[in-house]
Amino acid sequence: MSNPLYDQLFGRHAGSEKPFLHLRDGKRISYRQFLERAAQFAHVLTTQGLAPGDRLAVQVEKSPEALALYAACVQSGIVFLPLNTAYTAEEVAYFVENSGAGLLICDPGNLAQLAPVASRHGASVLTLDGGGSGSLSDLAADQPADFATVARGEDDLAAFLYTSGTTGRSKGAMLTQANLLSNAITLADIWRFSGDDELLHALPVFHTHGLFVASNVILVTGGAMIFLPKFDLDAILAELPRATSMMGVPTFYTRLLSDPRLTRECVSHMRLFVSGSAPLLAETHLQFEARTGHRILERYGMTETNMNTSNPYDGERRAGTVGFPLPGVELKITDPETGGAVAAGAVGQIEVRGPNVFKGYWQMPDKTAAELRADGFFITGDLGRVDEDGYVHIVGRNKDLIISGGYNIYPKEIELVLDEEPGVLESAVIGVPHPDFGETVVGVLVAVPGGGLDMAAVLASAAGRLARFKHPRKLVVVDELPRNTMGKVQKNILRERYRDLFVQG
Ligand code: MCA
Ligand code: AMP
């Protein structure tokens, strides 16, 4: 019986003593050790009562064990649901409830807060810390180091990744085995990954970029990862000389450029730098090339689709563009009003279709139908054009979204929280340029007349409810919000008004 994703990413390395993960303390984890750990975890998950198709919610620090949980889920047919470590207990509660997760694995430090959340929604709870210890590992220690891989088909679900929405309610994007596998094979091929690669991995492993794009291309080719717990400039600069490749969000590259230790010599062993998740400024691309001799390869993707386009490995990596549709992926530019094709070279909404496109949003058929057409094209919400040479340019967004340091933030979610605060009549949340994060969050408030608006109290209250990266970095009070004749808030006017708050104009 087969399980295509497990077989191709993990099973093929069974018994291999080749290094898979190099850790910062000099420790190495071979493929065999990693897979044995994953098998022990798979036993724990099943003895906890999870069956194929059930969801496992995981909010833990990055570690080899966190990644082994992904492998354990694929091997046992359980749907892997990783969560950003920045999410508050209130945010985690929504994901556990909405997904119907049967088990939550969290950091021991969050157990007191999350155990009641889990029990309220009928889930059990285990712990795992950044060093690999916790009740999960305690239970795993006595388990066999091999596990009979559960048969799965390509259309079976492998993971749920939650992505926010314009209504403020997060949606669980259902990703199948084929979605993940097709993208991994394509990317490994076009980016020329091989068993000799050592990928410098400093991204989190709870979103598509670090979990699927980076880890899966290595797994499918048998290379190794230099596995850092997070982005740390000193650690990255220390590891760059031995790495062959790195993937990062634009903030990685602007931070590297801000350090004089980034030189041509320190990257002389590198063959590939990839950027994505947010727009890479053409200026950053050019500065990086001038400093290092490397042209960053920019690609474009989404949680719902994995990767859609990429600049070429050979050939011109064109700054300010996201390259060409991947092999097997169709991309078209349509009129947002009619859905019909626009004239060649004109700007419209980007739609994509291919084996990478997800199956829909968990238990949200209306939202699925609104974004995923019956013919299989997914409406990305990004605005773009295709130039005369076929390069795709992303020129804006047809959705109210802020991307800060590669994290997506939907203003509606923050507005709902701000609007509940005493003294706040209404709010509009916008993204403005930020030198480090690309964009950052600004809250524009209208006060209740005589309502005693206390800005510090508003910020403190929001802090308890929303992940840190979503917090407004600044609140401003205005008499009224600019509106069009339909009564809709004109955020473009606000963005223009506050565009220089964090950068020099
Ligand atoms: C951390 N903070 C942030 C962010 N990250 N605030 C806004 N935006 C952020 N992205 C907060 C911290 O809580 C902290 O708050 C302060 O900012 C600085 O903390 P620091 O430790 O310096 O943060 P950091 O560790 O340096 O984080 C910055 C980072 C990180 C390295 C850019 O956010 C990161 O790794 N981003 C990658 C996100 C990612 O993987 N995106 C892919 C999504 P305080 O000041 O209170 O201490 S997948 C996707 O988008 C699609 C599919 C795609 O195409 O890839
Ligand atoms: P997410 O929903 O978190 O997966 O984020 C996906 C969104 O990130 C896309 O819809 C784009 O708006 C944005 N994005 C990803 N890669 C790029 C890129 N290279 N350039 C511009 N925007 C990007």
Side-chain angles (χ1 to χ4, degrees):
M1 288 295 245
S2 80
N3 176 326
L5 190 62
Y6 185 81
D7 298 344
Q8 300 231 35
L9 294 188
F10 303 106
R12 66 195 302 163
H13 307 297
S16 167
E17 296 299 340
K18 236 185 128 188
F20 172 42
L21 301 175
H22 296 280
L23 307 183
R24 192 74 182 108
D25 57 9
K27 206 172 138 199
R28 269 176 19 171
I29 296 179
S30 69
Y31 273 99
R32 178 187 58 75
Q33 290 169 312
F34 177 81
L35 294 175
E36 288 180 358
R37 197 70 181 137
Q40 289 180 310
F41 285 169
H43 281 290
V44 175
L45 301 183
T46 52
T47 54
Q48 290 285 312
L50 294 188
D54 289 348
R55 277 76 57 207
L56 169 71
V58 176
Q59 190 195 33
V60 297
E61 294 299 329
K62 182 175 174 182
S63 68
E65 288 76 13
L67 203 57
L69 271 172
Y70 162 46
C73 282
V74 178
Q75 188 168 24
S76 57
I78 292 163
V79 179
F80 186 56
L81 193 180
L83 295 168
N84 193 321
T85 47
Y87 291 148
T88 62
E90 182 175 330
E91 291 167 312
V92 172
Y94 172 80
F95 299 120
V96 172
E97 179 182 13
N98 184 268
S99 67
L103 175 63
L104 168 68
I105 299 182
C106 70
D107 190 88
N110 297 332
L111 183 62
Q113 269 192 309
L114 291 178
V117 166
S119 79
R120 200 160 58 239
H121 300 298
S124 30
V125 61
L126 293 175
T127 60
L128 176 69
D129 71 15
S133 303
S135 56
L136 169 72
S137 299
D138 293 344
L139 290 173
D142 299 329
Q143 298 294 335
D146 58 350
F147 181 89
T149 303
V150 171
R152 294 265 95 184
E154 291 214 331
D155 202 36
D156 283 321
L157 296 183
F160 274 14
L161 256 55
Y162 273 80
T163 163
S164 282
T166 42
T167 57
R169 275 190 81 208
S170 289
K171 303 166 285 186
M174 298 188 287
L175 296 158
T176 65
Q177 288 222 341
N179 295 151
L180 304 183
L181 189 54
S182 65
N183 222 235
I185 292 171
T186 301
L187 296 176
D189 181 38
I190 65 164
W191 293 342
R192 308 277 170 83
F193 274 87
S194 77
D196 295 332
D197 264 294
E198 292 210 2
L199 177 98
L200 186 46
H201 193 300
L203 287 160
V205 286
F206 42 68
H207 286 315
T208 299
H209 198 163
L211 178 62
F212 298 139
V213 187
S215 306
N216 285 357
V217 297
I218 288 298
L219 284 160
V220 86
T221 50
M225 297 197 271
I226 303 165
F227 206 59
L228 303 181
K230 61 176 290 216
F231 182 91
D232 171 327
L233 200 47
D234 291 336
I236 300 254
L237 286 160
E239 299 292 354
L240 269 176
R242 67 189 272 214
T244 62
S245 46
M246 188 182 91
M247 296 185 191
V249 296
T251 301
F252 281 26
Y253 294 103
T254 50
R255 287 189 183 179
L256 276 168
L257 277 167
S258 73
D259 196 303
R261 289 174 293 172
L262 177 74
T263 59
R264 223 165 245 268
E265 294 67 50
C266 96
V267 297
S268 59
H269 187 54
M270 286 289 287
R271 64 170 190 89
L272 181 63
F273 287 98
V274 177
S275 177
S277 307
L280 183 76
L281 294 177
E283 179 190 315
T284 310
H285 185 110
L286 299 175
Q287 283 174 3
F288 200 85
E289 184 181 14
R291 179 90 71 88
T292 65
H294 282 275
R295 290 179 77 90
I296 299 170
L297 184 154
E298 185 171 7
R299 68 12 170 225
Y300 157 62
M302 285 188 77
T303 300
E304 290 91 333
T305 63
N306 289 280
M307 298 304 101
N308 296 313
T309 73
S310 171
N311 268 282
Y313 190 86
D314 297 317
E316 187 193 352
R317 298 177 193 170
R318 200 171 279 184
T321 83
V322 293
F324 309 111
L326 297 179
V329 175
E330 295 169 80
L331 181 146
K332 64 180 182 181
I333 309 288
T334 61
D335 181 331
E337 302 298 322
T338 65
V342 298
V347 171
Q349 64 185 2
I350 300 176
E351 298 192 25
V352 294
R353 177 165 72 180
N356 56 320
V357 174
F358 76 143
K359 209 172 176 171
Y361 297 114
W362 171 247
Q363 291 182 337
M364 292 188 184
D366 294 348
K367 290 196 189 304
T368 302
E371 293 178 38
L372 192 54
R373 296 187 191 280
D375 65 4
F377 271 98
F378 176 67
I379 305 166
T380 62
D382 291 308
L383 297 174
R385 68 182 174 87
V386 180
D387 71 20
E388 59 284 4
D389 298 322
Y391 286 83
V392 177
H393 298 238
I394 297 178
V395 300
R397 295 175 202 140
N398 201 19
K399 51 189 172 188
D400 194 12
L401 164 70
I402 301 167
I403 305 183
S404 168
Y407 286 143
N408 279 18
I409 300 165
Y410 279 82
K412 187 73 188 169
E413 190 184 349
I414 304 167
E415 289 161 2
L416 290 173
V417 168
L418 295 177
D419 289 349
E420 282 178 21
E421 291 303 317
V424 175
L425 184 65
E426 58 174 347
S427 64
V429 166
I430 54 167
V432 299
H434 188 275
D436 186 31
F437 293 130
E439 281 183 293
T440 198
V441 180
V442 170
V444 184
L445 306 179
V446 178
V448 174
L453 175 62
D454 177 348
M455 305 272 264
V458 170
L459 276 180
S461 171
R465 301 182 58 187
L466 298 167
R468 172 72 185 120
F469 67 87
K470 299 177 190 169
H471 297 181
R473 297 279 156 155
K474 193 157 184 70
L475 288 178
V476 291
V477 181
V478 295
D479 291 338
E480 60 178 359
L481 297 173
R483 293 183 187 275
N484 66 15
T485 48
M486 309 289 288
K488 194 168 182 278
V489 176
Q490 291 169 301
K491 291 198 170 179
N492 52 332
I493 294 181
L494 294 174
R495 280 192 285 266
E496 191 54 34
R497 194 185 294 167
Y498 299 113
R499 58 174 298 156
D500 297 335
L501 272 182
F502 296 91
V503 291
Q504 277 151 15

